[in-house]
Amino acid sequence: MIALAEIFERFEPELLQRYGQRLLPSHGQALAAMKRCRTRFAPRMLAQCDGCGQQRSVPHSCGHRACPHCQHHDSQVWVERQRAALVPATYFLLTFTLPAQLRGLPLGHQRVVYALLMQCAWQTLASFSHNDPKLAATPGAVGVLHTHSRRLEFHPHVHMVMPAAALDTAKRLWRTKLRRTRRGGGKGGKGGGGASPGGGYLFNHKALAKVFRAKVIDAIKAAGLTLPVQLPEVWVVDCKAVGDGSQALLYLGRYLYRGVIQEADILGVKDGMVTFRYRDAKTDKAALRTLPGADFLWLVLQHVLPKGQRRARNFGFLHPNSAAAVQLLQLQHLRGRAAQAVAQSTAAATSAAVSASASASASVRPAWRCVCGQPMRVLCRRMPPAPQDRDGGQAPVAYAPGVGGDIRSPFARAMPARRGDPGRPPAAAMH
């Protein structure tokens, strides 16, 4: 396995030469963080075993959400939190894609375009839900912004995991759409674009695309941005049933915090070229792609979101403000199935205990233990890398304030320092 930090260190000069004018401050921060994540250039932490007394000095991780090393725990916590809010209904995964003619806008106006893309997708679903005769109320959805394709090309789209249900708070009613299996497995079968084999029907995908197109164009004009001369009339919105929604949430959580590529998929670096593996969307088989190192780094960095930009949001009755209503729905659902639960009380209790244990373990960070099995106690959380370590030798296990110098990348050194913290590299956290 090839570390992404090694590729950054090797091809950073070429990246700055070819794409320096296109790199944003958020790209520079990600470059500086991931380049030294868990390397000899990173600050270190000193810990000691309570049992055998052995000391270990380990490098910090960068903690950046685009780093494949970091945020694994946060990703697990997010998935468990979303699974805990699942409601008794059939879930659908809807994908709203920005057409190729408009993909130049997000590169220069990330905050504005990404925010309106997410909001327009939710407004489209909310309007369809209010106009649906079986729902006629406010829906709920979990939205996740993705900016990459499987080949790591720039491909902004929004995933919405939505139950086929709505909550009418005024009348205190919970409405769901009954499952209706579509006849015929092909695209020409009955039921429209929102129907899935065995999964029922939500909304027509062509109607969703038309409304989404109108909302996005109006939002871009309201933001004062210039639209391209030619816009496609037909946009793409995909809608398919995903059962109870748990697997869809697990899929979205996989790319929420840990970047767009895993280091296990980087297969080789040779003669200035990087080869990585991806799964082809058409054949559903593994494929390889080889390109220059600087181009590969640009593919990775262009998917870094600006600081403070949220990649995931909850809408409607799945918003955290409605957590009490969701819990009440879950209790009522369990009460309605009380007769079945009595017959399976032992199995249900065992399953609940296992689920609660898994949820609790996901919300608590695992203990750091020594090879002897005893817990490690932190003596010093942050030590700058010693000069010997930055020159390639072994760093002594000792705390030396002020040692380390400026170990940031050339791009980060050229950027203005943060307010109140001149010249200090971005903080790192151990994960």
PDB file of all heavy atoms in Angstrom, residues 86-93 161-164 179 196-200 240-248:
ATOM      1  N   LEU A  86     -33.941   6.037  12.073  1.00  0.00           N
ATOM      2  CA  LEU A  86     -34.729   5.413  11.016  1.00  0.00           C
ATOM      3  C   LEU A  86     -36.184   5.271  11.451  1.00  0.00           C
ATOM      4  O   LEU A  86     -36.469   4.918  12.598  1.00  0.00           O
ATOM      5  CB  LEU A  86     -34.154   4.037  10.665  1.00  0.00           C
ATOM      6  CG  LEU A  86     -32.797   4.029   9.949  1.00  0.00           C
ATOM      7  CD1 LEU A  86     -32.291   2.605   9.797  1.00  0.00           C
ATOM      8  CD2 LEU A  86     -32.890   4.710   8.597  1.00  0.00           C
ATOM      9  N   VAL A  87     -37.084   5.539  10.538  1.00  0.00           N
ATOM     10  CA  VAL A  87     -38.514   5.496  10.837  1.00  0.00           C
ATOM     11  C   VAL A  87     -39.143   4.314  10.100  1.00  0.00           C
ATOM     12  O   VAL A  87     -38.580   3.795   9.123  1.00  0.00           O
ATOM     13  CB  VAL A  87     -39.204   6.815  10.423  1.00  0.00           C
ATOM     14  CG1 VAL A  87     -38.648   7.974  11.235  1.00  0.00           C
ATOM     15  CG2 VAL A  87     -39.030   7.082   8.933  1.00  0.00           C
ATOM     16  N   PRO A  88     -40.327   3.860  10.538  1.00  0.00           N
ATOM     17  CA  PRO A  88     -40.985   2.716   9.892  1.00  0.00           C
ATOM     18  C   PRO A  88     -41.590   3.075   8.542  1.00  0.00           C
ATOM     19  O   PRO A  88     -42.763   3.435   8.437  1.00  0.00           O
ATOM     20  CB  PRO A  88     -42.068   2.318  10.910  1.00  0.00           C
ATOM     21  CG  PRO A  88     -42.350   3.568  11.659  1.00  0.00           C
ATOM     22  CD  PRO A  88     -41.045   4.303  11.748  1.00  0.00           C
ATOM     23  N   ALA A  89     -40.785   3.015   7.498  1.00  0.00           N
ATOM     24  CA  ALA A  89     -41.236   3.325   6.138  1.00  0.00           C
ATOM     25  C   ALA A  89     -40.208   2.790   5.156  1.00  0.00           C
ATOM     26  O   ALA A  89     -39.073   2.464   5.530  1.00  0.00           O
ATOM     27  CB  ALA A  89     -41.432   4.830   5.948  1.00  0.00           C
ATOM     28  N   THR A  90     -40.604   2.687   3.899  1.00  0.00           N
ATOM     29  CA  THR A  90     -39.682   2.307   2.836  1.00  0.00           C
ATOM     30  C   THR A  90     -38.837   3.516   2.446  1.00  0.00           C
ATOM     31  O   THR A  90     -39.374   4.597   2.206  1.00  0.00           O
ATOM     32  CB  THR A  90     -40.445   1.795   1.611  1.00  0.00           C
ATOM     33  OG1 THR A  90     -41.238   0.672   1.987  1.00  0.00           O
ATOM     34  CG2 THR A  90     -39.478   1.388   0.507  1.00  0.00           C
ATOM     35  N   TYR A  91     -37.529   3.326   2.377  1.00  0.00           N
ATOM     36  CA  TYR A  91     -36.616   4.427   2.075  1.00  0.00           C
ATOM     37  C   TYR A  91     -36.250   4.410   0.593  1.00  0.00           C
ATOM     38  O   TYR A  91     -36.212   3.354  -0.056  1.00  0.00           O
ATOM     39  CB  TYR A  91     -35.344   4.320   2.916  1.00  0.00           C
ATOM     40  CG  TYR A  91     -35.471   4.946   4.286  1.00  0.00           C
ATOM     41  CD1 TYR A  91     -36.201   4.323   5.284  1.00  0.00           C
ATOM     42  CD2 TYR A  91     -34.879   6.164   4.576  1.00  0.00           C
ATOM     43  CE1 TYR A  91     -36.321   4.892   6.552  1.00  0.00           C
ATOM     44  CE2 TYR A  91     -34.992   6.738   5.824  1.00  0.00           C
ATOM     45  CZ  TYR A  91     -35.712   6.105   6.800  1.00  0.00           C
ATOM     46  OH  TYR A  91     -35.839   6.677   8.051  1.00  0.00           O
ATOM     47  N   PHE A  92     -35.956   5.626   0.096  1.00  0.00           N
ATOM     48  CA  PHE A  92     -35.521   5.803  -1.290  1.00  0.00           C
ATOM     49  C   PHE A  92     -34.240   6.625  -1.309  1.00  0.00           C
ATOM     50  O   PHE A  92     -34.056   7.529  -0.481  1.00  0.00           O
ATOM     51  CB  PHE A  92     -36.598   6.506  -2.115  1.00  0.00           C
ATOM     52  CG  PHE A  92     -37.780   5.644  -2.446  1.00  0.00           C
ATOM     53  CD1 PHE A  92     -38.772   5.414  -1.516  1.00  0.00           C
ATOM     54  CD2 PHE A  92     -37.896   5.042  -3.694  1.00  0.00           C
ATOM     55  CE1 PHE A  92     -39.854   4.610  -1.801  1.00  0.00           C
ATOM     56  CE2 PHE A  92     -38.977   4.237  -3.995  1.00  0.00           C
ATOM     57  CZ  PHE A  92     -39.969   4.018  -3.049  1.00  0.00           C
ATOM     58  N   LEU A  93     -33.379   6.302  -2.245  1.00  0.00           N
ATOM     59  CA  LEU A  93     -32.152   7.063  -2.479  1.00  0.00           C
ATOM     60  C   LEU A  93     -32.324   7.860  -3.758  1.00  0.00           C
ATOM     61  O   LEU A  93     -32.432   7.293  -4.846  1.00  0.00           O
ATOM     62  CB  LEU A  93     -30.951   6.126  -2.592  1.00  0.00           C
ATOM     63  CG  LEU A  93     -29.604   6.787  -2.900  1.00  0.00           C
ATOM     64  CD1 LEU A  93     -29.206   7.752  -1.786  1.00  0.00           C
ATOM     65  CD2 LEU A  93     -28.511   5.746  -3.108  1.00  0.00           C
ATOM     66  N   VAL A 161     -31.383  10.526   1.094  1.00  0.00           N
ATOM     67  CA  VAL A 161     -32.004   9.308   1.607  1.00  0.00           C
ATOM     68  C   VAL A 161     -33.298   9.730   2.284  1.00  0.00           C
ATOM     69  O   VAL A 161     -33.287  10.402   3.319  1.00  0.00           O
ATOM     70  CB  VAL A 161     -31.080   8.577   2.591  1.00  0.00           C
ATOM     71  CG1 VAL A 161     -31.741   7.301   3.098  1.00  0.00           C
ATOM     72  CG2 VAL A 161     -29.757   8.248   1.926  1.00  0.00           C
ATOM     73  N   MET A 162     -34.422   9.323   1.692  1.00  0.00           N
ATOM     74  CA  MET A 162     -35.731   9.838   2.121  1.00  0.00           C
ATOM     75  C   MET A 162     -36.711   8.694   2.321  1.00  0.00           C
ATOM     76  O   MET A 162     -36.869   7.844   1.444  1.00  0.00           O
ATOM     77  CB  MET A 162     -36.272  10.809   1.063  1.00  0.00           C
ATOM     78  CG  MET A 162     -37.674  11.296   1.323  1.00  0.00           C
ATOM     79  SD  MET A 162     -38.273  12.347  -0.022  1.00  0.00           S
ATOM     80  CE  MET A 162     -39.988  12.554   0.465  1.00  0.00           C
ATOM     81  N   PRO A 163     -37.407   8.641   3.465  1.00  0.00           N
ATOM     82  CA  PRO A 163     -38.482   7.660   3.630  1.00  0.00           C
ATOM     83  C   PRO A 163     -39.732   8.100   2.876  1.00  0.00           C
ATOM     84  O   PRO A 163     -40.005   9.296   2.743  1.00  0.00           O
ATOM     85  CB  PRO A 163     -38.708   7.645   5.143  1.00  0.00           C
ATOM     86  CG  PRO A 163     -38.301   9.006   5.591  1.00  0.00           C
ATOM     87  CD  PRO A 163     -37.176   9.434   4.683  1.00  0.00           C
ATOM     88  N   ALA A 164     -40.484   7.137   2.386  1.00  0.00           N
ATOM     89  CA  ALA A 164     -41.745   7.439   1.701  1.00  0.00           C
ATOM     90  C   ALA A 164     -42.812   7.715   2.747  1.00  0.00           C
ATOM     91  O   ALA A 164     -43.793   6.979   2.892  1.00  0.00           O
ATOM     92  CB  ALA A 164     -42.144   6.294   0.793  1.00  0.00           C
ATOM     93  N   ARG A 179     -46.366   0.253  -0.224  1.00  0.00           N
ATOM     94  CA  ARG A 179     -45.471  -0.376  -1.200  1.00  0.00           C
ATOM     95  C   ARG A 179     -46.283  -0.893  -2.375  1.00  0.00           C
ATOM     96  O   ARG A 179     -47.292  -1.576  -2.201  1.00  0.00           O
ATOM     97  CB  ARG A 179     -44.719  -1.546  -0.563  1.00  0.00           C
ATOM     98  CG  ARG A 179     -43.731  -1.126   0.504  1.00  0.00           C
ATOM     99  CD  ARG A 179     -43.194  -2.342   1.222  1.00  0.00           C
ATOM    100  NE  ARG A 179     -42.482  -3.212   0.312  1.00  0.00           N
ATOM    101  CZ  ARG A 179     -41.182  -3.151   0.083  1.00  0.00           C
ATOM    102  NH1 ARG A 179     -40.459  -2.241   0.671  1.00  0.00           N
ATOM    103  NH2 ARG A 179     -40.604  -3.997  -0.738  1.00  0.00           N
ATOM    104  N   SER A 196     -39.274   1.018  -8.200  1.00  0.00           N
ATOM    105  CA  SER A 196     -38.194   0.058  -8.208  1.00  0.00           C
ATOM    106  C   SER A 196     -38.774  -1.322  -8.011  1.00  0.00           C
ATOM    107  O   SER A 196     -39.762  -1.481  -7.289  1.00  0.00           O
ATOM    108  CB  SER A 196     -37.187   0.378  -7.094  1.00  0.00           C
ATOM    109  OG  SER A 196     -36.603   1.640  -7.296  1.00  0.00           O
ATOM    110  N   PRO A 197     -38.190  -2.341  -8.633  1.00  0.00           N
ATOM    111  CA  PRO A 197     -38.712  -3.693  -8.481  1.00  0.00           C
ATOM    112  C   PRO A 197     -38.748  -4.105  -7.019  1.00  0.00           C
ATOM    113  O   PRO A 197     -37.725  -4.145  -6.349  1.00  0.00           O
ATOM    114  CB  PRO A 197     -37.722  -4.543  -9.301  1.00  0.00           C
ATOM    115  CG  PRO A 197     -37.114  -3.590 -10.268  1.00  0.00           C
ATOM    116  CD  PRO A 197     -37.070  -2.273  -9.568  1.00  0.00           C
ATOM    117  N   GLY A 198     -39.932  -4.388  -6.509  1.00  0.00           N
ATOM    118  CA  GLY A 198     -40.078  -4.823  -5.135  1.00  0.00           C
ATOM    119  C   GLY A 198     -39.966  -3.716  -4.125  1.00  0.00           C
ATOM    120  O   GLY A 198     -40.017  -3.971  -2.924  1.00  0.00           O
ATOM    121  N   GLY A 199     -39.799  -2.464  -4.570  1.00  0.00           N
ATOM    122  CA  GLY A 199     -39.568  -1.393  -3.613  1.00  0.00           C
ATOM    123  C   GLY A 199     -40.650  -0.353  -3.566  1.00  0.00           C
ATOM    124  O   GLY A 199     -40.619   0.520  -2.702  1.00  0.00           O
ATOM    125  N   GLY A 200     -41.616  -0.392  -4.481  1.00  0.00           N
ATOM    126  CA  GLY A 200     -42.676   0.593  -4.447  1.00  0.00           C
ATOM    127  C   GLY A 200     -42.358   1.801  -5.304  1.00  0.00           C
ATOM    128  O   GLY A 200     -41.448   1.784  -6.138  1.00  0.00           O
ATOM    129  N   LYS A 240     -34.449   5.414  -6.489  1.00  0.00           N
ATOM    130  CA  LYS A 240     -34.588   3.960  -6.344  1.00  0.00           C
ATOM    131  C   LYS A 240     -34.818   3.609  -4.881  1.00  0.00           C
ATOM    132  O   LYS A 240     -34.344   4.296  -3.967  1.00  0.00           O
ATOM    133  CB  LYS A 240     -33.349   3.240  -6.874  1.00  0.00           C
ATOM    134  CG  LYS A 240     -32.057   3.573  -6.137  1.00  0.00           C
ATOM    135  CD  LYS A 240     -30.890   2.811  -6.735  1.00  0.00           C
ATOM    136  CE  LYS A 240     -29.576   3.138  -6.015  1.00  0.00           C
ATOM    137  NZ  LYS A 240     -28.431   2.394  -6.592  1.00  0.00           N
ATOM    138  N   ALA A 241     -35.549   2.526  -4.658  1.00  0.00           N
ATOM    139  CA  ALA A 241     -35.851   2.069  -3.309  1.00  0.00           C
ATOM    140  C   ALA A 241     -34.625   1.387  -2.700  1.00  0.00           C
ATOM    141  O   ALA A 241     -33.876   0.685  -3.386  1.00  0.00           O
ATOM    142  CB  ALA A 241     -37.034   1.106  -3.334  1.00  0.00           C
ATOM    143  N   VAL A 242     -34.415   1.607  -1.391  1.00  0.00           N
ATOM    144  CA  VAL A 242     -33.256   1.040  -0.690  1.00  0.00           C
ATOM    145  C   VAL A 242     -33.676   0.365   0.609  1.00  0.00           C
ATOM    146  O   VAL A 242     -32.928   0.348   1.584  1.00  0.00           O
ATOM    147  CB  VAL A 242     -32.189   2.124  -0.417  1.00  0.00           C
ATOM    148  CG1 VAL A 242     -31.509   2.547  -1.701  1.00  0.00           C
ATOM    149  CG2 VAL A 242     -32.803   3.330   0.288  1.00  0.00           C
ATOM    150  N   GLY A 243     -34.890  -0.181   0.643  1.00  0.00           N
ATOM    151  CA  GLY A 243     -35.324  -0.931   1.816  1.00  0.00           C
ATOM    152  C   GLY A 243     -35.529  -0.058   3.031  1.00  0.00           C
ATOM    153  O   GLY A 243     -36.207   0.976   2.979  1.00  0.00           O
ATOM    154  N   ASP A 244     -34.921  -0.445   4.149  1.00  0.00           N
ATOM    155  CA  ASP A 244     -35.075   0.322   5.388  1.00  0.00           C
ATOM    156  C   ASP A 244     -34.104   1.486   5.485  1.00  0.00           C
ATOM    157  O   ASP A 244     -34.125   2.229   6.472  1.00  0.00           O
ATOM    158  CB  ASP A 244     -34.920  -0.585   6.609  1.00  0.00           C
ATOM    159  CG  ASP A 244     -33.518  -1.177   6.723  1.00  0.00           C
ATOM    160  OD1 ASP A 244     -32.704  -0.992   5.790  1.00  0.00           O
ATOM    161  OD2 ASP A 244     -33.234  -1.838   7.742  1.00  0.00           O
ATOM    162  N   GLY A 245     -33.221   1.674   4.508  1.00  0.00           N
ATOM    163  CA  GLY A 245     -32.326   2.820   4.459  1.00  0.00           C
ATOM    164  C   GLY A 245     -30.984   2.629   5.128  1.00  0.00           C
ATOM    165  O   GLY A 245     -30.089   3.463   4.960  1.00  0.00           O
ATOM    166  N   SER A 246     -30.798   1.555   5.885  1.00  0.00           N
ATOM    167  CA  SER A 246     -29.549   1.397   6.638  1.00  0.00           C
ATOM    168  C   SER A 246     -28.347   1.205   5.725  1.00  0.00           C
ATOM    169  O   SER A 246     -27.274   1.773   5.970  1.00  0.00           O
ATOM    170  CB  SER A 246     -29.674   0.215   7.607  1.00  0.00           C
ATOM    171  OG  SER A 246     -29.970  -0.980   6.905  1.00  0.00           O
ATOM    172  N   GLN A 247     -28.499   0.420   4.655  1.00  0.00           N
ATOM    173  CA  GLN A 247     -27.373   0.201   3.753  1.00  0.00           C
ATOM    174  C   GLN A 247     -27.021   1.457   2.969  1.00  0.00           C
ATOM    175  O   GLN A 247     -25.846   1.715   2.684  1.00  0.00           O
ATOM    176  CB  GLN A 247     -27.701  -0.952   2.798  1.00  0.00           C
ATOM    177  CG  GLN A 247     -27.812  -2.301   3.477  1.00  0.00           C
ATOM    178  CD  GLN A 247     -26.521  -2.707   4.167  1.00  0.00           C
ATOM    179  OE1 GLN A 247     -25.431  -2.523   3.624  1.00  0.00           O
ATOM    180  NE2 GLN A 247     -26.646  -3.256   5.365  1.00  0.00           N
ATOM    181  N   ALA A 248     -28.024   2.243   2.606  1.00  0.00           N
ATOM    182  CA  ALA A 248     -27.746   3.499   1.903  1.00  0.00           C
ATOM    183  C   ALA A 248     -26.978   4.464   2.795  1.00  0.00           C
ATOM    184  O   ALA A 248     -26.050   5.151   2.337  1.00  0.00           O
ATOM    185  CB  ALA A 248     -29.054   4.132   1.438  1.00  0.00           C
TER     186      ALA A 248
END
